[in-house]
């Protein structure tokens, strides 16, 4: 078959607190595992109030985010130039390779963020403060 269709509730939830090698301790639905995508990484991230993905960067992956539910404070930009931006449902943001980004659920309810990363490579988070300025 050349296509797949799935309802979010049918994609298994993974509790990352049970996976030692992968911080942070959040819950995700790995849509890219379900669809077996070749070109993009595709995840739904679930955040309780106060939970966050800390400020980080990637060497080669560009990431696009979309807030489905919740209120977030974003930290975006290169080291020394980062700014804070408020984001609620319907907000998109993008982080190019080597550009720092992180976000925290500042609301009182669960937050959900769709994350799309390309290329679909293993690209663990880097400390943006340690990247060479161009």
């Amino acid at each position: 078959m050349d296509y797949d269709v799935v309802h979010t509730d049918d994609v298994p939830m993974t509790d990352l607190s049970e996976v030692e090698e992968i911080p942070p301790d959040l819950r995700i639905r790995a849509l890219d595992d379900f669809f077996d995508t070749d070109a993009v990484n595709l995840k739904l991230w679930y955040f309780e109030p106060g939970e966050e993905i800390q400020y980080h960067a990637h060497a080669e992956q560009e990431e696009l985010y979309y807030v489905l539910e919740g209120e977030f404070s974003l930290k975006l930009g290169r080291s020394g130039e980062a700014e804070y931006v408020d984001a609620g449902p319907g907000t998109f943001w993008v982080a190019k390779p080597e550009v720092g980004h992180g976000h925290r659920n500042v609301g009182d309810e669960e937050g959900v963020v769709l994350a799309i990363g390309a290329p679909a490579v293993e690209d663990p988070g880097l400390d943006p403060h340690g990247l060479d300025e161009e």
Side-chain angles (χ1 to χ4, degrees):
M1 185 180 321
D2 294 332
Y3 65 89
D4 286 311
V5 177
V6 67
H7 188 278
T8 302
D9 292 341
D10 294 332
V11 177
M13 182 79 75
T14 301
D15 184 346
L16 295 178
S17 67
E18 298 171 2
V19 182
E20 253 183 62
E21 301 82 33
I22 305 177
D25 291 342
L26 300 171
R27 294 171 298 126
I28 65 166
R29 292 186 195 271
L31 299 166
D32 49 6
D33 286 348
F34 184 87
F35 287 122
D36 193 26
T37 60
D38 296 324
V40 297
N41 290 332
L42 185 61
K43 308 274 192 286
L44 282 173
W45 290 84
Y46 294 81
F47 297 80
E48 293 301 321
E51 288 185 325
E52 69 180 319
I53 290 181
Q54 293 186 354
Y55 183 64
H56 68 285
H58 297 282
E60 58 183 302
Q61 191 172 62
E62 181 173 55
E63 291 184 309
L64 175 71
Y65 297 92
Y66 179 73
V67 178
L68 294 162
E69 299 174 17
E71 299 296 327
F72 290 84
S73 175
L74 316 177
K75 183 177 181 180
L76 303 169
R78 294 191 183 278
S79 176
E81 301 173 3
E83 298 181 19
Y84 289 89
V85 178
D86 294 331
T91 304
F92 278 101
W93 71 95
V94 67
K96 301 276 188 184
E98 298 190 358
V99 175
H101 56 286
H103 49 279
R104 172 189 294 268
N105 180 355
V106 294
D108 296 329
E109 304 289 329
E110 178 181 70
V112 182
V113 174
L114 173 64
I116 303 167
V121 295
E122 290 293 322
D123 194 356
L126 304 171
D127 179 358
H129 305 299
L131 296 173
D132 293 330
E133 295 293 324
E134 294 183 25

